[in-house]
Amino acid sequence: MATTTDTQLLEENLTITTLDTSKYDRVSRLGATSQDSLTIMTLDINHDLFPVSIGESLHMVLASSLSLDGTKDDGRGWRDLGGEASLADMFDYVCHGKIYKFEDGDGGDTIKAYISFGGLLMALEGPYKKLTPLRVDYVYLLLKK
Amino acid sequence: MALDILEGWQDCAKVLLTSTERRAFLKELRRPGIDNLKRTQICKKINEQCRKAKICPYCNAHNGQIRKPAALKLVHDKYQAYTKSNAKSKVEPAALTAFRSTFDEIKKTNTEVDKHLKKAMDDLNPLRVLNLFKMISPSDCELLGINPAEGRPEMFLWQYVPAPPVCIRPSVAQESASTEDDLTTKLAEIVHISSLIRAALQKGQPLQTIVEQWDYLQLQIALYINSDVPNLQQVGNGKPIRGFCQRLKGKQGRFRGNLSGKRVDFSGRTVISPDPNLGIDQVAIPILVAKNLTYPERVQDHNIKKLRKCVLNGSDVHPGAQHVIKKDKDNGEPGDTISLKFPQVRKRQSQQLTVGDVVERHLEDGDIVLFNRQPSLHKLSIMSHYVKVRPWRTFRLNECVCTPYNADFDGDEMNLHVPQTEEARTEAINLMGVKNNLSTPKNGEPIISATQDFITAAYLLSSKDNFFDRKTFTNYCMYMVDGNEHLDVPPPAILKPQALWTGKQVFSILMRPNKQSPVKVNLDAKCRDYKAKAGMCPDMDPNDGWLVVRNSEVMCGRMDKTTVGSGKKDSIFYIILRDFGPDAAVIAMNRLSKISARYLTNEGFSIGISDVYPSAKLTDRKNELVTKAYEECDDLIRKFKDGKLEKATGCNMEETLENEISGKLSIVRQLAGDYCIDTLSKHNSPLIMAKSGSKGSSINVAQMVAVVGQQIIGGQRVPDGFQDRSLPHFPKNARQPLSKGFVRNSFFTGLTPTEFLFHAISGREGLVDTAVKTAETGYMSRRLMKSLEDLSTQYDDTVRNSSGGIVQFQFGADKLDPVDMEGSAVPVHFDRTWTHAENLTWNNDDRCLLPYEIKIECEKLLANQKSKYARKGLLRQEPLEYLDQSDYAIDELESARDFVATITKYVGGLAEKMAKARMRAGLKDFVDAPKKSNERHDKSKEETARRDQVERVAKVSQATLKMFVSLCLDKYAKAHVEPGHAVGAVGAQSIGEPGTQMTLKTFHFAGVAGMSITQGVPRIKEIINASKVISTPVITCPLLNRVEETAAKVVKGRIEKTYIGDVLRFIEDMWSAKAATMCLSVDMDLLNSMHLGITVGHMANAIVANKKLKIKSNDISLVNDCIFVRITHESGGNMGARGPSSKKLDEPGSDLLLRVNFLRRVLPTLAISGYPDATRAIIQKDKNDEHTVLVEGYGIKACMTTEGVIGTKCTTNSVMECFQVLGIEAARTTIAKEIAGVMGDMGIDPRHMQLLADVMTYKGEVLGITRFGLSKMRDSVLQLASFEKTPDHLFDAAAGMKTDQIEGVSECIIMGQTMGVGTGGFKVVQSLEKPNQPLLVGMKTTQFEDAWRWEQTERKKLR
């Protein structure tokens, strides 16, 4: 696993607990919890591209950039992705989207973050200490089994 | 002839007023500056006064009633006062004796005469009347409302018959003969009779013949003017002729048909068809039409090349021209008009075309036209479009614009008009342009928006399921932009394993194609079928039913009717319209219509038999449901027949049964429908349409697939058309679902013959209802429009009519235009504006303000605004406290202050939220500014992660706050209604147009049995007619003690009538030889338990008080709880017998018996308490178990003063009673409230209804929106004549020598003038005289030429 640079906002290992494939043909909504079961994640994924099943564990990273050296990739755009080595090389499923909303968690110590990858939603609920690196901004989601 | 009878005359031809009265009236009439309305009122008073006079104060002649025994006869019943009088002392007047004696001679020869002698009256034949009129003195004329200089009374009697010139009555030449006009034939007839009379006079024919002929002449002249004279039994010989009155009258008459509305040139009409490739502000015009409609374009340097080509092309080739109008000649005469129909002239004209000529060229792309579809119910029925000339034969428009026109393409035709001047074009496009009418003035909701297929496409495209590779995605993007737009393709949502974009990203591009575009939409809205689930953030709705857009990027949510369609303020296009202007909204809409058409073309979207094929499971389930329901119904019917059915409150047995069965059956359809919806595939086309809201509802789908359900006719199940049964296919008295119109089949399985018939009956009812409604609401709209048409806002913010009468001091009390309302009737939607400001100004590095800082900052931002609204004393302009609410301090800026206060309140809410978030995170809340220095906020002391946590959830930065406040204030300023705005016309349309969509239904009070109040169109009619008697008057009485039911019962008891019978134990009669005694025994316990405060004594008084019973007080005696009524022969009175025959019964015994029996019957029905006009009272229980008493009937005064009722809060729905008891302001409020109550679900802005209420009450009395009310509101003959009763108003106007100022809308239209509303609302005034300066009239000096001349002379001098 690569060294944690400040482009990596969050890193977590989660186990898939629920999976709803009934609503759409290509998209399913999975629910997953971290090993310490403090972080709960709900995520829409394209299961054609990244098939999952209940009980599988996922390694999830939220990063503000895909470059390995930690520079921001503002302006470079998605077209230049090929060729040079990037964070994405190490993962199976990579999304780009926006963190757009935060909410209070149930207790005083958790918060919820909502991220949309072009309509594929991700809801993260976890301890504030872990989630405060996230801010309203564009973000990459990287997943591997 | 058509003149009203001039009553109050005598042989001396003087007005029957004493000289003092006369002088007083004259003084009143001659008062300077008196308006016509007042004058007519005085004249009416004079007329009444005169009618009362019995003897002329000048010549002592008698006066009676003038009668009209036949259509054209007037008689004077001189001695009416004597003949009608019943007084014994009446003395026959000497004049009458003399009059009667004139008959003595004829009595001798004809015995028949004597019988009719009493009916003999003074005949007022035209000649006599004329002579009387001639004798009227000029000052008397004034008293009659006639101008003696211009129109003396005798002038109104025709002494000569005017014959109009032949152009008024043209003869129509046919092959052999010619048909003459009605007027000509009538004139000929008149001439013919005249000649007959003349001949008869010369020959000396008998008097009778001449009189007969004279009467006939009179009749013919009457018909000449008005062919349907009242009371004229004309023999039905074919069609009646068209007299002068008929020419003016009615919809096709001169006034409404030719003066208020005219046929025009430069217009076209043809079938319409759709074209999604057109912009929504365009209309496609067939070349054929474009060649016929022209626009006169003045030749200038920049367009001469184009126009030369047009002239060369001539009138038959499209970009051509019809005529050339050369410029004015040197002597000022207009230039020649040269037709380009002939090819020979074209070339020369083209070459000779010079700057200044006018070319009537064909329509071309970009021209401005008006487009209209009848019925033009609101201002959006006529809008201005840009021309796009296209081949074929139909007008074409973008489907988005169908809603305002209410157009579809099943053969609808529309009209087109071409404004002919640059000024007209400018006004048309700026005021009526599609772009500037995206939202309806009714309430500001968007009305032009995606419809039908566009919604379907948007729904399909924005599904989570759609992933596009780069090729497809960019292809879709290019579909919607015209190919000349720069596109910034966003990063793909999925980068690995494959770069894929989602459907929602297409919408991001639709809203904001590149980074340069300013359109940053921010929106949180629920979609059509969103149902909130507790504990779940709406964003995560599994059906994607919550739309979130951030800076034009769609975060989540599926597009459907509420988010791209019309009629909701949450629509994306509405947000773009509000935040980025109409141009951006139109562009976005055009993009959606293009991509929708293309997307659906590629994907295909169709419906077939497979879509409605029910699964076996569904059929089973349906059968199971239906069978179960049938069994339950059978059960109910059995119970009903056995009489075991439990009665529901306020219903009889049969109603109870009907309700129960209806309930059962509707549940069946509901369940079957739900099951069907749940089990259908998500690719099912009808289901997609129902879910997206583009067409049809889920009920329609269920009807096709599962079960059609119960057919309702007139709110009931199918009625019995045959004896005791709906159809002879069923047994008699069958109440089974099948025989009463339940259709258990679906449209797929097919209906049985009986089912089919029931379904058809129900369908027919709908059609008939619509047809009836259109006529009714059409008339209502017309009346509303006529009474409100000339109201407009002025530069001083008041709403006035065209004669300057003030209707409102500020429109809607806050000067805000309903079209600019963003929330419901408020100008700013704070939540959305805040989100918008937040996202526009978002910067992660900004500092987060503390709660107290937020408040201080907000005050600082609003300080400037508040200083404008500083409160000053009305009398001395002394400064007052900003929040002073005393009567002295209230001024016209209240609404503005209120708005500022709402901003402060909203920001306060944000600060509070922040404080709470801080508390939760374990930080100090800082609601108030720290007082001591050691309490001050210290960053280092707080945990960074904790602070971040708060910041994530409730951040408020200074930049955001500043942006928010400025956005709010801008929106508020923009929402102000513009001076000159025709608020009246818009208000009338806003109320009239939704009226057409209302159903004629009555509404039942929930939970209260049998209490229904009239709703819908009938109720609206009642209110605006200001009816004295309404069909369901209801008084609402709030109670002091709302919790206790007994308190409510006491109040109810006091209001409702209690009869003697209600509190009696028994009635007994005791007989003696000469008298009888009735004993009424009162149940004292019952009486006391009613808490009426009534004793036996009160009851006795009530009996005596009833005059009809004629019971004297000394005949009644009270013993304990019994009332004894003594009946003797003397006590007499009405013996209870009916009719005159009973008078003959003289036997005393039977007499007494009759009376006792009569009293026995009548006494129990005597009311001892309760209010006379209250029919009944009902206790209403709301969900909080609080009670209110509702009273059916009138008598709010009595209800208010009832003990236990909060009198100050009593309301009634009868406007007129409210006016009489509580005054005009209360009536105004009632009108506004009642209309709002009926039209509540139509979403009309309250300001429109308040305006209507104000119009009905601003004269100080409640005026209905009828011709009677209208004539009291404004005094314009032309306006009234163009409304109703055209000839009557014209005759009155002629008699009264009335003038019309031509200031109202109707009059200006008739006279072809510019009206004083809208762009005609302002006038440029220049004072002619300035102190120490010569008059500013005459030729003005030219600035440069004169200066040049002056300089030249100066230079010459120097040389």
Side-chain angles (χ1 to χ4, degrees), chain B residues 971-1189:
Chain B
K971 280 177 179 175
Y972 181 69
K974 228 169 97 185
H976 272 205
V977 62
E978 288 166 32
H981 184 51
V983 283
V986 167
Q989 290 169 352
S990 299
I991 294 168
E993 196 264 340
T996 54
Q997 297 160 22
M998 278 198 297
T999 42
L1000 306 157
K1001 57 170 186 200
T1002 52
F1003 166 79
H1004 294 269
F1005 266 124
V1008 181
M1011 187 90 157
S1012 65
I1013 47 173
T1014 321
Q1015 290 281 303
V1017 180
R1019 176 70 185 138
I1020 295 280
K1021 270 172 77 185
E1022 266 177 10
I1023 300 169
I1024 66 170
N1025 286 349
S1027 309
K1028 280 245 158 53
V1029 179
I1030 59 175
S1031 52
T1032 47
V1034 174
I1035 300 164
T1036 315
C1037 305
L1039 301 174
L1040 283 169
N1041 186 346
R1042 273 175 296 178
V1043 190
E1044 289 293 322
E1045 196 172 353
T1046 44
K1049 273 187 180 159
V1050 170
V1051 172
K1052 174 182 147 111
R1054 294 201 172 179
I1055 290 170
E1056 225 172 10
K1057 267 179 254 171
T1058 309
Y1059 300 98
I1060 291 183
D1062 294 343
V1063 291
L1064 278 190
R1065 262 202 303 246
F1066 58 83
I1067 302 181
E1068 258 185 350
D1069 35 344
M1070 293 163 276
W1071 293 86
S1072 61
K1074 284 195 174 167
T1077 311
M1078 284 178 76
C1079 169
L1080 300 135
S1081 168
V1082 180
D1083 189 340
M1084 288 309 285
D1085 294 340
L1086 193 65
L1087 186 63
N1088 290 335
S1089 70
M1090 283 177 165
H1091 304 285
L1092 296 175
I1094 281 179
T1095 61
V1096 180
H1098 285 113
M1099 291 172 65
N1101 288 341
I1103 294 171
V1104 176
N1106 193 314
K1107 293 268 158 49
K1108 271 184 196 154
L1109 294 177
K1110 297 203 173 160
I1111 296 174
K1112 285 169 198 142
S1113 56
N1114 46 10
D1115 283 341
I1116 288 194
S1117 50
L1118 304 172
V1119 179
N1120 289 334
D1121 55 355
C1122 289
I1123 303 170
F1124 290 97
V1125 183
R1126 204 158 60 87
I1127 298 148
T1128 54
H1129 290 295
E1130 289 77 46
S1131 61
N1134 186 349
M1135 294 301 151
R1138 284 180 223 116
S1141 61
S1142 62
K1143 279 183 189 166
K1144 285 161 195 161
L1145 281 173
D1146 283 327
E1147 297 120 295
S1150 66
D1151 194 9
L1152 217 53
L1153 184 63
L1154 265 180
R1155 178 152 171 82
V1156 168
N1157 284 343
F1158 167 71
L1159 288 179
R1160 237 186 131 102
R1161 205 170 54 241
V1162 168
L1163 279 180
T1165 64
L1166 217 61
I1168 46 169
S1169 85
Y1171 305 136
D1173 296 325
T1175 324
R1176 64 188 180 128
I1178 284 167
I1179 299 169
Q1180 192 191 30
K1181 206 177 195 178
D1182 62 7
K1183 45 189 181 293
N1184 304 335
D1185 261 2
E1186 289 182 345
H1187 303 90
T1188 317
V1189 171

Side-chain angles (χ1 to χ4, degrees), chain B residues 698-724:
Chain B
S698 50
I699 287 183
N700 296 139
V701 180
Q703 282 188 327
M704 286 190 282
V705 183
V707 57
V708 175
Q710 179 65 48
Q711 298 304 307
I712 303 285
I713 293 126
Q716 242 101 44
R717 299 202 293 164
V718 177
D720 292 343
F722 290 80
Q723 199 179 51
D724 297 330

Side-chain angles (χ1 to χ4, degrees), chain B residues 432-479:
Chain B
M432 310 164 75
V434 173
K435 238 179 228 179
N436 304 311
N437 284 294
L438 293 181
S439 43
T440 159
K442 185 174 82 181
N443 52 13
E445 279 171 359
I447 190 163
I448 298 172
S449 229
T451 47
Q452 307 217 348
D453 279 8
F454 298 168
I455 295 174
T456 312
Y459 181 79
L460 292 172
L461 193 55
S462 61
S463 165
K464 258 186 199 174
D465 235 5
N466 279 327
F467 295 96
F468 307 122
D469 60 11
R470 187 168 172 185
K471 196 177 95 192
T472 326
F473 183 73
T474 46
N475 190 26
Y476 281 146
C477 292
M478 290 321 287
Y479 275 162

Side-chain angles (χ1 to χ4, degrees), chain B residues 377-450:
Chain B
L377 290 170
H378 54 179
K379 74 171 197 184
L380 303 174
S381 293
I382 305 177
M383 286 194 291
S384 160
H385 292 244
Y386 290 104
V387 166
K388 181 87 188 162
V389 180
R390 306 254 68 210
W392 318 123
R393 297 295 168 97
T394 56
F395 289 145
R396 268 144 288 168
L397 59 145
N398 190 300
E399 292 97 311
C400 293
V401 226
C402 283
T403 339
Y405 293 122
N406 193 15
D408 48 36
F409 305 107
D410 58 2
D412 287 22
E413 288 182 60
M414 282 178 72
N415 314 317
L416 184 102
H417 299 265
V418 187
Q420 293 288 306
T421 62
E422 287 298 331
E423 291 93 327
R425 283 175 158 222
T426 326
E427 267 195 28
I429 204 67
N430 284 306
L431 298 173
M432 310 164 75
V434 173
K435 238 179 228 179
N436 304 311
N437 284 294
L438 293 181
S439 43
T440 159
K442 185 174 82 181
N443 52 13
E445 279 171 359
I447 190 163
I448 298 172
S449 229

Side-chain angles (χ1 to χ4, degrees), chain B residues 504-750:
Chain B
K504 291 199 172 68
Q505 285 181 303
V506 175
F507 281 85
S508 310
I509 292 281
L510 187 149
M511 288 182 260
R512 191 163 179 248
N514 55 53
K515 298 242 161 62
Q516 277 71 49
S517 163
V519 181
K520 288 184 166 182
V521 178
N522 287 294
L523 170 70
D524 288 79
K526 57 168 180 267
C527 300
R528 212 172 104 87
D529 290 326
Y530 174 72
K531 277 184 208 83
K533 259 189 220 149
M536 184 194 259
C537 176
D539 304 43
M540 298 305 289
D541 183 46
N543 294 319
D544 215 6
W546 185 265
L547 183 77
V548 177
V549 184
R550 291 284 173 267
N551 287 341
S552 288
E553 280 180 72
V554 184
M555 295 286 117
C556 61
R558 203 165 183 185
M559 303 295 160
D560 60 22
K561 175 124 194 223
T562 50
T563 47
V564 294
S566 58
K568 282 276 150 46
K569 287 182 178 173
D570 284 338
S571 125
I572 286 176
F573 302 119
Y574 182 70
I575 304 302
I576 301 179
L577 167 71
R578 292 290 303 176
D579 294 343
F580 307 99
D583 292 287
V586 165
I587 291 171
M589 247 182 268
N590 287 339
R591 284 186 192 141
L592 180 66
S593 47
K594 281 201 190 112
I595 196 177
S596 297
R598 287 169 176 75
Y599 178 79
L600 284 185
T601 315
N602 289 347
E603 293 284 303
F605 185 80
S606 179
I607 168 173
I609 195 77
S610 60
D611 283 316
V612 292
Y613 204 95
S615 60
K617 238 168 115 187
L618 175 66
T619 318
D620 291 345
R621 171 113 180 100
K622 181 195 102 182
N623 282 332
E624 184 191 317
L625 279 168
V626 172
T627 330
K628 202 175 131 235
Y630 275 15
E631 275 164 17
E632 281 170 352
C633 290
D634 285 341
D635 221 39
L636 283 169
I637 292 163
R638 207 172 309 120
K639 267 194 200 162
F640 169 75
K641 282 190 177 148
D642 298 346
K644 281 181 191 159
L645 200 65
E646 245 177 74
K647 244 198 317 191
T649 42
C651 299
N652 62 26
M653 275 302 210
E654 258 151 58
E655 282 166 357
T656 315
L657 179 73
E658 279 296 307
N659 286 344
E660 295 260 331
I661 293 180
S662 302
K664 288 260 170 343
L665 294 178
S666 65
I667 288 171
V668 172
R669 186 168 76 180
Q670 192 62 45
L671 288 177
D674 287 348
Y675 185 77
C676 148
I677 299 292
D678 288 342
T679 50
L680 280 178
S681 136
K682 54 180 168 275
H683 300 293
N684 183 293
S685 302
L687 191 63
I688 288 174
M689 289 194 277
K691 273 193 171 168
S692 64
S694 62
K695 193 82 194 169
S697 64
S698 50
I699 287 183
N700 296 139
V701 180
Q703 282 188 327
M704 286 190 282
V705 183
V707 57
V708 175
Q710 179 65 48
Q711 298 304 307
I712 303 285
I713 293 126
Q716 242 101 44
R717 299 202 293 164
V718 177
D720 292 343
F722 290 80
Q723 199 179 51
D724 297 330
R725 51 184 166 179
S726 56
L727 281 179
H729 304 69
F730 305 106
K732 279 190 180 176
N733 288 317
R735 289 166 200 281
Q736 271 67 24
L738 211 54
S739 66
K740 292 294 255 179
F742 183 76
V743 181
R744 71 174 292 179
N745 281 305
S746 67
F747 288 130
F748 172 78
T749 57

Side-chain angles (χ1 to χ4, degrees), chain B residues 838-1081:
Chain B
E838 198 173 47
N839 282 289
L840 286 183
T841 58
W842 188 264
N843 185 349
N844 280 321
D845 302 330
D846 271 349
R847 197 177 77 87
C848 175
L849 297 177
L850 291 168
Y852 75 91
E853 286 175 327
I854 297 175
K855 285 185 194 162
I856 292 171
E857 196 59 40
C858 175
E859 282 304 308
K860 228 189 272 172
L861 288 166
L862 287 172
N864 187 27
Q865 197 70 17
K866 278 192 174 174
S867 70
K868 285 185 201 161
Y869 306 137
R871 206 181 286 271
K872 281 181 192 139
L874 289 174
L875 297 177
R876 293 175 293 279
Q877 295 292 304
E878 75 278 17
L880 294 171
E881 194 69 13
Y882 184 78
L883 292 171
D884 194 344
Q885 286 292 307
S886 63
D887 283 356
Y888 175 70
I890 299 288
D891 61 10
E892 76 279 9
L893 296 167
E894 268 347 294
S895 57
R897 285 191 200 105
D898 284 350
F899 179 72
V900 173
T902 54
I903 300 181
T904 321
K905 198 176 150 207
Y906 184 78
V907 175
L910 290 172
E912 211 161 284
K913 187 182 159 203
M914 160 85 98
K916 269 187 193 151
R918 284 183 69 89
M919 293 274 272
R920 217 174 307 140
L923 303 173
K924 188 175 173 356
D925 59 2
F926 282 107
V927 174
D928 301 306
K931 284 179 191 106
K932 290 175 206 157
S933 58
N934 58 351
E935 282 177 6
R936 202 166 295 155
H937 180 236
D938 188 0
K939 256 190 185 177
S940 54
K941 276 187 196 161
E942 288 174 355
E943 197 185 335
T944 323
R946 278 294 189 188
R947 214 178 50 237
D948 281 348
Q949 180 194 352
V950 173
E951 222 167 278
R952 297 287 176 271
V953 176
K955 179 170 169 175
V956 175
S957 76
Q958 176 155 16
T960 310
L961 197 58
K962 205 169 158 188
M963 170 75 102
F964 171 70
V965 171
S966 79
L967 277 177
C968 290
L969 294 178
D970 282 355
K971 280 177 179 175
Y972 181 69
K974 228 169 97 185
H976 272 205
V977 62
E978 288 166 32
H981 184 51
V983 283
V986 167
Q989 290 169 352
S990 299
I991 294 168
E993 196 264 340
T996 54
Q997 297 160 22
M998 278 198 297
T999 42
L1000 306 157
K1001 57 170 186 200
T1002 52
F1003 166 79
H1004 294 269
F1005 266 124
V1008 181
M1011 187 90 157
S1012 65
I1013 47 173
T1014 321
Q1015 290 281 303
V1017 180
R1019 176 70 185 138
I1020 295 280
K1021 270 172 77 185
E1022 266 177 10
I1023 300 169
I1024 66 170
N1025 286 349
S1027 309
K1028 280 245 158 53
V1029 179
I1030 59 175
S1031 52
T1032 47
V1034 174
I1035 300 164
T1036 315
C1037 305
L1039 301 174
L1040 283 169
N1041 186 346
R1042 273 175 296 178
V1043 190
E1044 289 293 322
E1045 196 172 353
T1046 44
K1049 273 187 180 159
V1050 170
V1051 172
K1052 174 182 147 111
R1054 294 201 172 179
I1055 290 170
E1056 225 172 10
K1057 267 179 254 171
T1058 309
Y1059 300 98
I1060 291 183
D1062 294 343
V1063 291
L1064 278 190
R1065 262 202 303 246
F1066 58 83
I1067 302 181
E1068 258 185 350
D1069 35 344
M1070 293 163 276
W1071 293 86
S1072 61
K1074 284 195 174 167
T1077 311
M1078 284 178 76
C1079 169
L1080 300 135
S1081 168

